[in-house]
Amino acid sequence: MTAAPALSVAGLTVAFGGIVAVNDVTLDLPVGARHALIGPNGAGKTTFVNLLTGTLKPTAGTIRIGDEDVTRLDTRSRVKRGLTRTFQINTLFAGLTPLEAVSLAIAERDDLAGIWWRRLGGFPAVRDEAEALLSSLRLIEHARVPTGELAYGKQRLLEIALALAAKPRILLLDEPAAGIPAGESREVFEVVDALPDDISVLFIEHDMQLVFRFARRIVVLTSGSVLAEGTPDEIRRNDDVRAAYLGSTHV
Ligand code: ATP
């Protein structure tokens, strides 16, 4: 018997006035997926992720986490069911250290967030879990440095650590390596690649070298619709994808 997908989307559609930004998208994310979502600017990638998280409500279609229909659930309820995304730390957490920020995210998950964060030292289990998470993301040496002073690559890793603190089954990454030098972006994707197999990942990425190196499957979106879905080899050889998006890019 095949396991149910971690996430399945059927006929998902959203229109803004006359623009159909996401048009009848049907997609399964199997358990352990490392899927890339690619496509030209304005193809609807971010809008699709916003539909998955519940920030936007669809005009039509359904979203399931495992066997459960979550289409009408709000973002927080989806996070509780294991669907989470990264968010920008730049403004929110600049004064905190990674250890403090991840401890807070763990406390939030466990409904301890009402406790003033300075007292989190009184919760050794939270601190131990935060340190373990920071180690697995290659951040432990930077655990006590204000996040505003971290290199951009480390900040991106911290964003992933904060999302992982929610213990997600499905992790959505919208350009996780945006704005960082090539050497550092590779490290971000190495960390994503090495996440446990029970975490399913969908990432948006514009750098095709990274996509073709790290994605195990690729979904190509154009004008809100899925143009193609397949392994990197299948996508590389797909003439429609070449014509619509990849052009002469060497991948
Ligand atoms: P990029 O690669 O540039 O980030 P994208 O593939 O993520 O692009 P989206 O940002 O999802 O594309 O945009 C898809 C389309 O929907 C665009 O035409 C955009 O202008 C439109 N759009 C997105 N959000 C809204 C909104 N809130 N109201 C109106 N139109 C919107």
Side-chain angles (χ1 to χ4, degrees), residues 52-68:
L52 296 182
T53 59
T55 319
L56 278 175
K57 297 283 168 231
T59 318
T62 55
I63 302 164
R64 288 176 177 275
I65 297 175
D67 293 330
E68 187 182 6

Side-chain angles (χ1 to χ4, degrees), residues 149-224:
E149 292 173 22
L150 295 177
Y152 287 125
K154 301 293 178 202
Q155 292 191 11
R156 298 286 95 81
L157 286 172
L158 179 57
E159 288 167 5
I160 295 173
L162 290 168
L164 289 174
K167 288 228 168 109
R169 288 190 287 153
I170 303 148
L171 181 61
L172 307 174
L173 305 168
D174 190 352
E175 295 192 61
I180 62 180
E184 293 182 43
S185 54
R186 174 162 298 222
E187 185 184 23
V188 170
F189 277 93
E190 281 169 5
V191 165
V192 170
D193 192 44
L195 290 175
D197 279 345
D198 56 355
I199 300 181
S200 312
V201 179
L202 176 71
F203 62 87
I204 297 177
E205 180 54 55
H206 282 281
D207 181 331
M208 290 304 114
Q209 305 302 328
L210 292 170
V211 166
F212 280 81
R213 183 179 161 111
F214 288 103
R216 297 179 203 160
R217 290 188 80 81
I218 299 174
V219 181
V220 186
L221 210 59
T222 52
S223 307

Side-chain angles (χ1 to χ4, degrees), residues 2 14 16 23 32 35 51 59 67 85-86 99 108-109 111 131 153-154 169 186 191 194 210 214 225 247:
T2 326
V14 71
F16 303 111
N23 189 5
H35 272 43
L51 287 169
T59 318
D67 293 330
R85 63 164 299 167
T86 49
L99 186 59
E108 163 79 17
R109 178 199 71 207
D111 292 327
E131 286 183 341
K154 301 293 178 202
R169 288 190 287 153
R186 174 162 298 222
V191 165
L210 292 170
F214 288 103
S225 301

Side-chain angles (χ1 to χ4, degrees), residues 16 19 21 39-48 175 206:
F16 303 111
I19 300 171
N41 292 332
K45 302 180 296 294
T46 298
T47 304
F48 180 68
E175 295 192 61
H206 282 281

Side-chain angles (χ1 to χ4, degrees), residues 71-84:
T71 316
R72 306 208 181 287
L73 298 185
D74 63 14
T75 300
R76 193 179 163 81
S77 307
R78 295 185 198 192
V79 171
K80 290 271 181 219
R81 284 161 178 76
L83 175 75
T84 190

